[in-house]
């Protein structure tokens, strides 16, 4: 089904308008004159297109041009030469770098290429082809010296042009006719094999076109389904015969997949124009390709919704921009014409492409799932807004996965491909739970990097990642609660009526941290730095000591702080939360005083997630402005009095906390 969907995409977009030619990046032109003279070698490169704002230095890449269709792959002792367009080893007999190939191999490869041009010259009789063949003969014999630029690379493609013509020699009508003839002779249909894609009799494709732009560490071009070992040859069916696909079908399917993988796919009808990008990189070795059966706005811009690219969405038509803005806010959107939706998740490793996931769905279901996905992720941010003064409407999928990586690895290299694929699938299918390993990692990384938020260089990034981790925890728990038919879900903002033990203890940790800050100011190691991990796992063994120290902090803060009313509010909030656990708070300075500790001995992993959310949301709540607090009080008038700071009681002119300040 994967190959059939790719085959249909190639037909819909007309990606193979001419089966005998294809678009390849051409880097150099050799201009040949009369009698095989070399008029010069000209570069044909352009700067790589990179995203706006990227610090990456653009590479110089070959310009996309139409060239004779090349072999899917070539290997062995004497790999064949291409027709009229090849690399420096075949065209000029030059090894780049010089030590890569021995002189004898260079001479052999050059002769293979020259023989193809010579044969074409003999059959076509074209003067330009004859002069190209003569140039190759003179160069091979040493009669003609050619100066090669130091910028030329071993995999650069070289073409020929006659004198000062703008077109290439392989584009001359008589050469095109010759190429079509020999290409047709080599692809005659052989009866007896049936293509799995079209169901027609065919010549089986022995090798499939290599895939480019699959993320991996070493090899640039890899195969989707290589059969290069005897272990893959079932019942004597060698190479591609164990899964018969015609050469045409293979060409169409692999061309479509390369188009999906390309960051800026060239238009086959106009190489100077580009098609829409239809892939998302989840990590250093995993990429997602997506498309629909029929052309639609979703297929052209689906990646922008997952990546939450507000700037590019604004440039889209108004209806498309409206749809994505609605989804980012968690509001469902009704499509006019639902269509079939396909998505393929690939990973590259050791020269092979691994299919991590294959998804067949409906565009309306995908849109509904995205709305639910972004609604699940919505959470108040503790991280300050970036320099442009505004946070994106939601978290991008690459940022969420990046937040799960261990900083010892490079951010995007530390994400397991399986987690990325499962997380992506859950984002476009609201019936699925988010992967449990992502939930565990989010808790672990939140704990580990919580104390690094004040770092001058990376503090902002840590805060942003912690917001993303809290969003992942909330999304996982809400999906699970929804599937288990639990009525209460975690809210976007701090919930004063939540009775979950983990959530309450997380709130308590945040309040104690705030009280310490009021008493001592900035310290080298706060109670969060020292006790957060232990408190979130085994609260009974930690909170007794923290509460005892809190009394010292409260007394010191009342003596030194100008904001005594806030200290009173914090103490009352501590009392309110502790009352949920039957904890006796003895107001004494006796260091040997023992609290009747009703805290749980341990918290389950889900409760630890709620602990993180309680801490995260309470921390934001404690730092609200007066205006924000007034709005919050109006929205939560039924909350416990301990949460309603600044609200008048019994219509008195002065609140309880204001009385405390005057004492």
């Amino acid at each position: 089904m994967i190959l059939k969907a790719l085959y249909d995409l190639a037909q819909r977009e007309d990606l193979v308008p001419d089966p005998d030619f294809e678009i390849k990046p051409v880097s150099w032109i050799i201009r040949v004159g009369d009698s095989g003279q070399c008029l010069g070698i000209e570069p044909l490169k352009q700067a790589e297109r990179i995203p706006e704002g990227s610090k990456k230095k653009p590479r110089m890449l070959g310009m996309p041009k139409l060239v004779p269709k090349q072999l899917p792959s070539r290997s062995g002792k004497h790999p064949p030469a291409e027709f009229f367009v090849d690399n420096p080893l075949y065209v000029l007999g030059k090894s780049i770098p010089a030590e890569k190939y021995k002189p004898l191999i260079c001479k052999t490869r050059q002769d293979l290429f020259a023989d193809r041009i010579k044969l074409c010259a003999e059959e076509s009789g074209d003067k330009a082809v004859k002069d190209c063949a003569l140039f190759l003969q003179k160069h091979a014999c040493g009669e003609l010296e050619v100066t090669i630029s130091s910028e030329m690379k071993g995999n650069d493609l070289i073409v020929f042009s006659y004198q000062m013509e703008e077109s290439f020699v392989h584009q001359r009508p008589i050469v095109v006719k010759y190429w079509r003839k020999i290409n047709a002779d080599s692809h005659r249909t052989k009866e007896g094999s049936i293509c799995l894609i079209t169901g027609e009799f065919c010549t089986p494709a022995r090798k499939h076109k290599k895939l480019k732009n699959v993320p991996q560490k070493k090899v640039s071009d890899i195969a989707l389904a290589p059969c290069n070992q005897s272990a893959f040859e079932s019942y004597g069916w060698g190479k591609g015969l164990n899964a018969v696909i015609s050469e045409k079908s293979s060409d169409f399917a692999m061309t479509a997949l390369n188009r999906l993988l390309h960051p800026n796919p060239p238009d086959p009808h106009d190489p100077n124009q580009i098609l829409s990008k239809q892939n998302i990189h989840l990590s250093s070795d995993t990429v997602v390709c997506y498309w629909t059966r029929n052309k639609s706005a979703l297929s052209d811009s689906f990646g922008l919704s997952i990546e939450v690219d507000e700037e590019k969405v604004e440039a889209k038509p108004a209806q498309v921009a409206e749809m994505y803005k609605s989804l980012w806010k968690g509001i469902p959107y009704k499509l006019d014409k639902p269509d079939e939706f396909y998505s393929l998740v690939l990973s590259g490793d050791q020269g092979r492409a691994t299919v991590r996931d294959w998804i067949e769905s409906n565009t309306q279901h995908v849109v509904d799932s995205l709305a639910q996905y972004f609604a699940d992720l919505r959470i108040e941010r503790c991280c300050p807004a970036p320099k442009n003064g505004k946070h994106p409407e939601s978290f991008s999928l690459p940022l969420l996965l990046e937040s799960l990586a261990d900083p010892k690895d490079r951010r995007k290299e530390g994400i397991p491909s399986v987690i990325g694929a499962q997380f992506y699938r859950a984002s476009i299918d609201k019936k699925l739970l988010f992967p449990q390993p992502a939930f565990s990692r989010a808790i672990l990384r939140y704990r580990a990097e919580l104390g690094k938020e004040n770092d001058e260089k990376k503090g902002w990034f840590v805060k942003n990642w912690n917001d993303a981790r809290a969003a992942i925890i909330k999304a996982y728990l809400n999906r699970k609660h929804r599937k288990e038919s639990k009525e209460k879900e975690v809210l976007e903002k701090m919930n004063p009526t939540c009775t979950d033990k983990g959530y309450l203890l997380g709130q308590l940790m945040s309040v104690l941290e705030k009280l310490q800050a009021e008493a001592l100011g900035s310290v080298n190691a706060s109670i969060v730095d020292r006790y957060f991990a232990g408190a979130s796992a085994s609260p009974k063994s930690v909170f007794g000591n923290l509460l005892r120290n809190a009394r010292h902090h409260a007394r010191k803060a009342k003596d030194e702080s100008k904001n005594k009313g806030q200290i009173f509010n914090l103490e009352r909030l501590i009392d309110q939360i502790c009352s949920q656990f039957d904890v006796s708070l003895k107001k004494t300075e006796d260091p040997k005083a023992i609290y009747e500790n009703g805290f749980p001995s341990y918290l389950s992993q889900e409760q630890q997630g709620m602990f993180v959310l309680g801490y995260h949301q309470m921390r934001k709540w404690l730092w609200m402005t007066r205006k924000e607090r007034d709005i919050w009080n109006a929205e939560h008038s039924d909350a416990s009095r301990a949460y309603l700071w600044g609200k008048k009681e019994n219509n008195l002119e002065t609140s309880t906390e204001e009385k405390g300040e005057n004492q």
Side-chain angles (χ1 to χ4, degrees):
M1 186 60 200
I2 299 176
L3 296 178
K4 180 65 169 65
L6 290 169
Y7 178 85
D8 291 342
L9 174 65
Q11 287 190 316
R12 172 170 69 79
E13 294 193 347
D14 198 15
L15 298 177
V16 190
D18 190 336
D20 296 320
F21 289 83
E22 64 181 337
I23 292 179
K24 288 285 186 180
V26 176
S27 301
W28 303 91
I29 304 175
I30 297 180
R31 292 201 175 273
V32 178
D34 294 334
S35 303
Q37 296 179 15
C38 180
L39 303 181
I41 301 180
E42 301 174 4
L44 195 63
K45 292 190 175 185
Q46 60 184 358
E48 176 188 16
R49 296 186 182 185
I50 58 175
E52 294 183 8
S54 174
K55 296 181 180 179
K56 179 182 176 183
K57 184 179 179 181
R59 299 173 296 169
M60 297 302 293
L61 303 177
M63 296 183 66
K65 299 293 181 182
L66 204 62
V67 303
K69 188 171 290 292
Q70 301 197 325
L71 298 168
S73 62
R74 50 185 179 184
S75 58
K77 292 184 178 180
H78 303 290
E82 301 290 356
F83 180 69
F84 251 115
V85 181
D86 216 321
N87 59 45
L89 179 63
Y90 283 85
V91 177
L92 301 172
K94 296 293 183 181
S95 173
I96 303 176
E99 65 276 5
K100 187 173 183 179
Y101 295 102
K102 296 180 180 179
L104 180 60
I105 294 178
C106 295
K107 181 69 169 59
T108 304
R109 303 287 171 86
Q110 186 181 21
D111 290 344
L112 289 173
F113 182 81
D115 289 344
R116 297 203 70 174
I117 307 304
K118 183 179 179 182
L119 187 60
C120 177
E122 292 173 353
E123 293 198 18
S124 66
D126 186 77
K127 178 171 173 49
V129 180
K130 288 182 178 179
D131 285 336
C132 287
L134 190 58
F135 161 80
L136 293 171
Q137 180 183 346
K138 288 182 176 180
H139 180 263
C141 296
E143 298 178 16
L144 186 64
E145 289 293 331
V146 177
T147 303
I148 297 177
S149 170
S150 59
E151 296 180 359
M152 186 176 288
K153 298 180 180 179
N155 60 349
D156 284 351
L157 290 183
I158 303 173
V159 297
F160 287 87
S161 183
Y162 187 59
Q163 295 185 351
M164 302 309 294
E165 294 179 358
E166 292 185 4
S167 61
F168 304 135
V169 175
H170 67 261
Q171 294 175 331
R172 298 170 76 89
I174 195 167
V175 178
V176 172
K177 182 179 179 181
Y178 168 80
W179 170 243
R180 292 192 191 282
K181 179 179 178 298
I182 64 172
N183 212 29
D185 291 341
S186 64
H187 293 86
R188 292 186 182 277
T189 302
K190 298 179 182 179
E191 301 292 333
S193 297
I194 298 178
C195 176
L196 294 175
I197 294 178
T198 63
E200 300 174 352
F201 286 104
C202 67
T203 300
R206 296 281 178 165
K207 293 182 179 180
H208 302 291
K209 185 184 293 185
K210 291 292 184 72
L211 300 180
K212 297 181 180 294
N213 299 302
V214 176
Q216 56 175 339
K217 293 181 179 179
K218 296 182 180 179
V219 187
S220 58
D221 298 349
I222 62 178
L224 179 62
C227 296
N228 57 355
Q229 299 292 335
S230 58
F232 308 136
E233 299 176 357
S234 303
Y235 302 98
W237 298 104
K239 296 185 177 179
L241 294 177
N242 58 4
V244 176
I245 301 171
S246 70
E247 293 178 342
K248 176 186 174 182
S249 298
S250 173
D251 184 27
F252 274 50
M254 295 302 104
T255 299
L257 187 50
N258 274 320
R259 174 259 183 274
L260 294 170
L261 290 167
H262 202 291
N264 298 294
D267 187 338
H269 298 278
D270 184 0
N272 295 321
Q273 301 296 321
I274 61 173
L275 302 173
S276 60
K277 177 188 173 185
Q278 293 183 209
N279 64 71
I280 312 166
H281 282 253
L282 300 183
S283 65
S284 62
D285 65 348
T286 306
V287 64
V288 172
C289 302
Y290 53 85
W291 69 102
T292 54
R293 176 175 287 277
N294 301 300
K295 185 175 177 60
S296 66
L298 187 66
S299 66
D300 291 342
S301 57
F302 170 76
L304 301 181
S305 66
I306 291 290
E307 294 177 333
V308 195
D309 195 330
E310 295 178 340
E311 185 176 345
K312 290 184 180 179
V313 163
E314 286 290 349
K316 294 291 180 181
Q319 186 176 3
V320 178
E322 179 188 353
M323 176 179 70
Y324 288 137
K325 290 177 182 178
S326 173
L327 297 181
W328 290 335
K329 294 177 182 178
I331 302 173
Y333 187 90
K334 185 71 173 177
L335 295 176
D336 295 333
K337 295 180 180 179
D339 195 7
E340 293 181 36
F341 178 88
Y342 305 110
S343 192
L344 180 65
V345 185
L346 291 176
S347 291
D349 186 29
Q350 298 181 355
R352 298 176 184 273
T354 303
V355 178
R356 292 290 177 190
D357 205 352
W358 164 245
I359 302 169
E360 295 180 58
S361 186
N362 179 276
T363 52
Q364 185 61 62
H365 179 71
V366 170
V367 167
D368 292 342
S369 297
L370 283 175
Q372 185 64 68
Y373 163 73
F374 286 116
D376 288 337
L377 288 175
R378 291 188 71 84
I379 194 168
E380 273 201 317
R381 301 215 181 190
C382 291
C383 178
K387 293 180 180 179
N388 61 8
K390 180 184 176 184
H391 279 297
E393 193 65 44
S394 188
F395 299 93
S396 69
L397 181 56
L399 173 64
L400 293 170
L401 296 177
E402 187 179 281
S403 71
L404 301 178
D406 191 323
K408 292 179 181 178
D409 306 322
R410 275 197 288 176
R411 280 284 169 190
K412 290 191 176 180
E413 290 186 1
I415 307 166
S417 301
V418 176
I419 294 180
Q422 290 176 347
F423 202 99
Y424 167 73
R425 189 180 185 101
S427 69
I428 60 172
D429 189 350
K430 60 183 180 181
K431 298 178 182 179
L432 299 178
L433 294 177
F434 288 100
Q436 200 276 337
F439 174 67
S440 302
R441 276 175 166 259
I443 297 174
L444 179 63
R445 297 315 319 156
Y446 194 100
R447 286 178 186 164
E449 299 190 42
L450 188 58
K452 300 177 183 178
E453 293 182 331
N454 295 324
D455 186 278
E456 293 183 0
K457 294 183 178 180
K458 296 185 178 180
W460 187 89
F461 295 100
V462 173
K463 290 177 182 177
N464 199 33
W465 285 325
N466 275 346
D467 283 353
R469 291 160 186 149
I472 292 173
I473 294 169
K474 173 180 175 286
Y476 174 87
L477 292 172
N478 278 356
R479 284 276 179 101
K480 189 168 185 182
H481 291 171
R482 205 174 297 127
K483 192 167 186 178
E484 294 175 353
S485 300
K486 292 184 178 180
E487 295 182 2
K488 294 184 178 180
E489 295 184 6
V490 183
L491 303 180
E492 178 183 349
K493 300 180 180 181
M494 195 276 289
N495 183 6
T497 61
C498 181
T499 58
D500 183 88
K501 292 182 179 179
Y503 191 82
L504 290 170
L505 290 171
Q507 287 185 334
L508 181 58
M509 174 60 77
S510 182
V511 176
L512 293 174
E513 178 192 30
K514 177 69 172 174
L515 184 59
Q516 183 191 44
E518 290 290 335
L520 305 179
S522 178
V523 293
N524 291 331
S526 68
I527 60 172
V528 168
D529 298 331
R530 298 176 62 185
Y531 298 110
F532 188 90
S536 62
S538 305
K540 190 179 185 70
S541 61
V542 175
F543 274 105
N545 290 331
L546 293 182
L547 289 173
R548 185 181 299 111
N549 292 335
R551 293 307 178 193
H552 295 285
H553 294 155
R555 181 173 180 178
K556 181 176 178 61
K558 287 177 182 178
D559 293 340
E560 300 179 6
S561 176
K562 296 180 181 179
N563 194 3
K564 294 187 173 72
Q566 187 175 37
I567 306 304
F568 175 81
N569 286 333
L570 291 173
E571 282 193 293
R572 185 161 64 173
L573 198 51
I574 292 173
D575 293 343
Q576 170 64 27
I577 296 173
C578 288
S579 66
Q580 305 292 319
F581 297 94
D582 298 326
V583 176
S584 174
L585 299 177
K586 299 178 180 179
K587 294 186 178 181
T588 174
E589 303 303 327
D590 183 2
K592 297 182 179 180
I594 300 176
Y595 291 94
E596 295 178 7
N597 194 334
F599 297 115
S601 300
Y602 66 92
L603 296 179
S604 65
Q605 191 171 55
E606 287 187 27
Q607 288 176 321
Q608 290 179 39
M610 291 297 293
F611 184 99
V612 170
L613 292 177
Y615 169 81
H616 187 88
Q617 293 181 339
M618 177 58 82
R619 194 180 193 192
K620 172 66 177 177
W621 184 87
L622 289 171
W623 289 96
M624 285 195 299
T625 63
R626 182 58 182 265
K627 183 178 179 180
E628 290 173 336
R629 193 169 298 283
D630 289 341
I631 295 173
W632 190 92
N633 287 342
E635 293 175 350
H636 299 83
S637 57
D638 58 339
S640 169
R641 184 65 188 85
Y643 291 95
L644 301 176
W645 292 10
K647 186 174 181 180
K648 301 291 189 292
E649 289 185 295
N650 300 326
N651 296 323
L652 296 178
E653 290 292 329
T654 309
S655 66
T656 306
E657 49 266 49
E658 289 174 339
K659 291 181 180 179
E661 291 180 6
N662 296 329
Q663 290 178 355

